[in-house]
Amino acid sequence: MLYRENGQFKTSYTADQQIFPILQDRVAIGALLAIAFVIVPVFGSEYIFRAILIPFLILALAALGLNILVGYCGQISLGTGAFMAVGAYGAYNFLVRIDGMPLIGAMLLGGLCATVIGVLFGIPSLRIKGLYLAVATLAAQFFTDWAFLRIGWFTNNSSSGSVSVAGLNVFGLPIESPVAKYLFCLSVVCVFALMAKNLTRSAIGRQWMAIRDMDVAAAVIGIRPMYAKLTAFAVSSFIVGVAGVLWAFVHLGAWEPAAFSIDRSFQLLFMVIIGGLGSIMGAFFGAAFLIVLPILLDQVPHWFGIPLSTATTSHLVHMIFGALIVFFLIVEPHGLAKLWSIGKQKLRLWPFPH
Amino acid sequence: MKMNDMAAAGPAVAAGGRQIGEVVLDLQNISLRFGGVKALTDISFDVREHEIRSIIGPNGAGKSSMLNVINGVYHPQEGRILFRGEERRRMEPHMAATQGIARTFQNIALFKGMSVLDNIMTGRNLKMKCNLLQMALYWGAVQKEEIAHREKVEEIIDFLEIQSVRRTPVGQLPYGLQKRVELGRALAAEPTMLLLDEPMAGMNVEEKQDMCRFILDVNDQFGTTIVLIEHDMGVVMDISDRVVVLDYGKKIGDGAPDEVRNNEDVIRAYLGTSH
């Protein structure tokens, strides 16, 4: 079936404003969801779930949250790891301190903790922009690193500084096996991706983008910069916080503050930039690129039976991966999502030149 | 001064038969300084309902600063501003917007990453009442609201004849169309007063004619009061009801186009004097 939209006339604004106005897109996304929810759980191996799919989904969710702040509202943040940590430790405290706290409840409350801290560290954005703001959000990173390491109350006075959760379940279903963990993460990611998309295509999304593109003009047409920026921080850090809960509870199981170090913040920022600023899809592309590609590159020598030592392979992976980042940024500075949409534009005419 | 007496005269009927109403915006002795630089010195003038009021003057005369004072981007150190009889204290730009003042900018200030449709939709944000949670679910009320506003926006798109580019990111549009989209974004707020900062700068004759037609239509059909900054004297003299002339931050003339044209101070400011 060719990718054509001829003949798909819209007769109402409802039809025109849906997320995927083109029939082929709707079919493709439906097929993708069917594969992700039905076929992958049946055929996936434990390794694929543990090492690739679960980290991919969770970090894609975190990148999605960060993209709302950086890509849609134009406020650079280097505190993403901190907001993930706040979500994780917040949810942990709700879980251990309140009897019978369900996992979803703890997860959402953890997200709310991250929201509060996110808004708090977002206040400087009312005065400063760009790189200066990035440095200000860096403070969040150092502060949480310190707080979760030194203040015993947060870790329930754990002697090793490491905390763990066990026996997770949702509505009585245990989240123990890799498949169950995968499906849980996938569901959460789908729900949040849909809500994020809805936000970005409604009034608040336009306010964020207006602030990003031209803040004086935005103020003049009646957008309150404070409200727009702080809601972006709030929504972004809520999603990032939930991703932090998933990362700690579902992916790691037991963790210490180092799991949410500055490296994590940078990794997520790179995902957003490489995937595409201001695109929901971009977060997924970015996460796939940064997580799946190194693993694939690692496997390539084995497929061709090239005898390379593990150390050499890992050095090569780093070099090739770095080169690919540079290559993609030169080819398309607006990220993989832009490349994807250019590809779709070309496909509308293919195989004809115009 | 003779011109001020003229400005204070009672309601008049403009050429097109529009009824010029009461004074809606009264600026009294406005002075604005940036450090030691005096941008505006002791300027007073008023704007009446439904009229087209132009502000002219050589470069650096303080015209754009004047508009920025009116919609709250700059705060004058001295003077009073009365809008619909109410004195305004320390106001922010979004408050001007809630009072029904919209504007366009001298250097196009569109949201470059967004489509024409989204840009104009953004102009309606003050009329959108749904909360964050409803928007996240995009169900019922939000969808109805989006569609109701989309219909209004499509009316503006029709009015400005930009149907064919509604999905195009504004950054890709030619200059003349961008100016038109910016007018559309201002109109989307259904303002009672529209501040236009050089809407015809850098346009060719046809584009200027189109823009003049849109401005006159807005004024005529919606009864919008228009405050216009423009350098093209032909346009200013043709479409304005009254003109204010600024030079070096001071008011040197005020009145109907014909009077301003013959004002000696104005001629001196524009053409210089023989010594």
Side-chain angles (χ1 to χ4, degrees):
Chain A
M1 189 167 61
L2 288 173
Y3 188 71
R4 293 283 187 274
E5 56 199 285
N6 317 24
Q8 298 183 25
F9 300 114
K10 302 290 182 294
T11 51
S12 71
Y13 292 131
T14 322
D16 195 41
Q17 285 178 337
Q18 53 192 331
I19 299 179
F20 299 105
I22 299 171
L23 176 70
Q24 285 89 333
D25 282 346
R26 286 198 294 279
V27 172
I29 205 78
L32 188 68
L33 284 178
I35 291 171
F37 272 102
V38 180
I39 298 182
V40 172
V42 174
F43 295 102
S45 70
E46 188 172 334
Y47 170 77
I48 286 184
F49 288 127
R50 276 195 199 286
I52 302 177
L53 288 176
I54 292 174
F56 160 71
L57 283 171
I58 299 173
L59 291 181
L61 182 64
L64 178 69
L66 182 62
N67 211 345
I68 285 184
L69 188 63
V70 182
Y72 284 95
C73 198
Q75 311 296 312
I76 299 180
S77 164
L78 282 177
T80 327
F83 302 142
M84 283 179 85
V86 172
Y89 282 94
Y92 169 77
N93 277 289
F94 279 111
L95 204 67
V96 296
R97 286 171 202 282
I98 298 173
D99 273 337
M101 172 62 79
L103 174 61
I104 300 226
M107 186 176 84
L108 296 179
L109 286 168
L112 282 179
C113 294
T115 307
V116 172
I117 301 297
V119 169
L120 204 64
F121 280 95
I123 290 173
S125 73
L126 306 179
R127 284 284 171 166
I128 52 179
K129 293 180 193 172
L131 288 173
Y132 298 93
L133 180 63
V135 174
T137 53
L138 203 56
Q141 188 69 51
F142 292 124
F143 178 75
T144 54
D145 273 1
W146 170 82
F148 294 130
L149 209 56
R150 299 286 171 216
I151 301 177
W153 189 84
F154 287 127
T155 52
N156 209 7
N157 296 310
S158 138
S159 53
S160 64
S162 161
V163 294
S164 63
V165 289
L168 299 173
N169 68 80
V170 176
F171 305 123
L173 299 170
I175 307 288
E176 293 292 333
S177 68
V179 178
K181 286 179 173 179
Y182 163 78
L183 283 174
F184 179 61
C185 290
L186 183 64
S187 314
V188 173
V189 168
C190 286
V191 169
F192 276 97
L194 179 65
M195 298 220 289
K197 180 69 197 172
N198 284 341
L199 283 176
T200 56
R201 68 190 175 125
S202 53
I204 190 73
R206 287 190 294 267
Q207 293 194 11
W208 292 337
M209 289 187 274
I211 289 286
R212 171 194 69 190
D213 285 350
M214 189 68 73
D215 51 358
V216 176
V220 162
I221 60 172
I223 293 169
R224 282 168 299 160
M226 186 173 88
Y227 178 78
K229 285 178 184 174
L230 292 186
T231 48
F233 266 98
V235 172
S236 162
S237 39
F238 181 78
I239 297 177
V240 168
V242 168
V245 179
L246 289 180
W247 188 255
F249 284 29
V250 179
H251 180 57
L252 298 174
W255 72 97
E256 46 195 27
F260 304 103
S261 65
I262 182 93
D263 292 353
R264 183 72 62 214
S265 298
F266 278 119
Q267 188 191 28
L268 287 165
L269 193 61
F270 295 156
M271 279 182 195
V272 170
I273 292 171
I274 293 170
L277 289 164
S279 156
I280 300 290
M281 186 98 76
F284 291 91
F285 284 139
F289 190 88
L290 258 78
I291 294 185
V292 181
L293 200 65
I295 295 170
L296 278 182
L297 286 175
D298 208 32
Q299 302 293 326
V300 170
H302 297 295
W303 296 342
F304 296 101
I306 302 165
L308 283 175
S309 73
T310 327
T312 319
T313 320
S314 108
H315 290 310
L316 274 177
V317 165
H318 276 112
M319 286 157 68
I320 296 171
F321 186 58
L324 277 174
I325 290 177
V326 175
F327 172 75
F328 275 111
L329 286 181
I330 289 172
V331 172
E332 184 48 70
H334 296 111
L336 300 173
K338 181 77 180 175
L339 247 124
W340 175 255
S341 74
I342 292 172
K344 272 180 27 173
Q345 282 295 325
K346 293 242 159 86
L347 206 60
R348 285 167 67 185
L349 297 171
W350 185 86
F352 307 107
H354 47 75
Chain B
M1 205 198 276
K2 201 180 117 221
M3 300 300 159
N4 282 340
D5 298 340
M6 180 63 204
V13 178
R18 290 165 296 122
Q19 185 68 45
I20 305 277
E22 295 294 304
V23 171
V24 281
L25 178 70
D26 194 7
L27 299 142
Q28 299 173 353
N29 311 99
I30 301 291
S31 293
L32 175 72
R33 289 183 298 272
F34 299 107
V37 181
K38 287 180 179 171
L40 299 171
T41 313
D42 197 26
I43 291 184
S44 305
F45 69 94
D46 59 28
V47 180
R48 293 175 178 279
E49 188 123 45
H50 308 311
E51 78 173 338
I52 299 182
R53 186 77 150 121
S54 290
I55 304 176
I56 61 170
N59 287 327
K63 304 183 296 295
S64 293
S65 298
M66 199 68 239
L67 284 200
N68 283 331
V69 165
I70 294 176
N71 76 345
V73 178
Y74 294 159
H75 305 284
Q77 280 80 7
E78 284 155 40
R80 304 204 311 154
I81 305 173
L82 297 161
F83 186 68
R84 298 195 183 284
E86 247 174 76
E87 180 161 2
R88 298 192 328 201
R89 297 266 164 214
R90 197 80 208 161
M91 67 179 272
E92 297 301 319
H94 70 86
M95 288 156 68
T98 46
Q99 291 178 347
I101 302 178
R103 80 172 281 184
T104 66
F105 291 82
Q106 184 175 0
N107 310 311
I108 297 170
L110 284 168
F111 309 129
K112 296 247 183 308
M114 298 159 73
S115 67
V116 170
L117 191 60
D118 278 346
N119 265 277
I120 303 179
M121 281 291 268
T122 311
R124 293 195 68 80
N125 82 93
L126 276 175
K127 301 187 183 299
M128 298 200 168
K129 301 287 174 228
C130 286
N131 65 37
L132 212 60
L133 206 64
Q134 288 173 304
M135 288 184 208
L137 301 175
Y138 207 85
W139 199 259
V142 175
Q143 202 166 17
K144 261 191 221 133
E145 195 180 58
E146 285 279 317
I147 285 163
H149 289 293
R150 174 79 189 272
E151 278 165 11
K152 288 280 181 196
V153 166
E154 289 291 338
E155 280 170 23
I156 290 165
I157 289 178
D158 284 348
F159 174 75
L160 294 173
E161 298 158 17
I162 46 178
Q163 296 92 333
S164 58
V165 294
R166 62 161 77 79
R167 293 280 178 196
T168 315
V170 288
Q172 296 173 9
L173 292 179
Y175 180 81
L177 278 184
Q178 290 196 14
K179 282 270 188 193
R180 222 185 271 187
V181 175
E182 207 187 4
L183 177 63
R185 186 182 67 188
L187 287 179
E190 295 175 25
T192 54
M193 179 176 281
L194 186 56
L195 316 177
L196 301 172
D197 197 345
E198 301 199 18
M200 283 161 251
M203 287 186 170
N204 63 30
V205 177
E206 285 85 8
E207 286 172 328
K208 278 186 184 177
Q209 283 172 345
D210 280 343
M211 190 51 94
C212 278
R213 184 161 55 84
F214 292 132
I215 293 171
L216 288 171
D217 281 352
V218 168
N219 181 243
D220 199 42
Q221 288 181 18
F222 311 133
T224 312
T225 309
I226 288 172
V227 180
L228 172 77
I229 294 179
E230 186 46 55
H231 276 301
D232 187 321
M233 283 308 131
V235 169
V236 169
M237 295 302 164
D238 268 358
I239 70 172
S240 317
D241 295 310
R242 288 189 300 159
V243 181
V244 153
V245 192
L246 303 183
D247 189 26
Y248 292 112
K250 295 197 178 70
K251 186 168 93 166
I252 57 168
D254 188 353
D258 279 340
E259 295 168 54
V260 166
R261 205 197 308 257
N262 299 321
N263 182 329
E264 276 176 26
D265 287 335
V266 176
I267 294 169
R268 200 176 305 127
Y270 270 90
L271 300 178
T273 45
S274 53
H275 291 286

